Amino acid sequence: MPMVNRLADRILNAVLPQAKAAAPCGPYVYRLCFCRGGLRYSKRCRDCTGDGGGCSPCNIVTGTC
């Protein structure tokens, strides 16, 4: 009987699409872009893909230079 169950599992795995788990999103982090007029401009980034993407434009003031 275990052989039949394994065979059935292999057939189902071959026929049915496999669901892939989405990568969990990491925390938001601020990355410095540049300093202008004594202010630090940064972008807000959050990696939800696993490849490091997902940043806002460099328009957030995060302090002084």
Side-chain angles (χ1 to χ4, degrees):
M1 191 70 160
M3 184 180 216
V4 173
N5 287 341
R6 281 185 282 168
L7 180 60
D9 287 342
R10 291 177 91 188
I11 292 170
L12 286 175
N13 285 336
V15 173
L16 296 176
Q18 300 297 311
K20 295 187 179 184
C25 291
Y28 282 107
V29 294
Y30 289 93
R31 299 207 173 120
L32 177 65
C33 294
F34 55 88
C35 288
R36 181 182 297 152
L39 298 176
R40 293 170 56 120
Y41 288 85
S42 300
K43 57 185 174 181
R44 185 177 177 201
C45 299
R46 185 175 189 190
D47 185 10
C48 290
T49 62
D51 64 2
C55 292
S56 70
C58 293
N59 60 1
I60 302 169
V61 177
T62 57
T64 58
C65 297

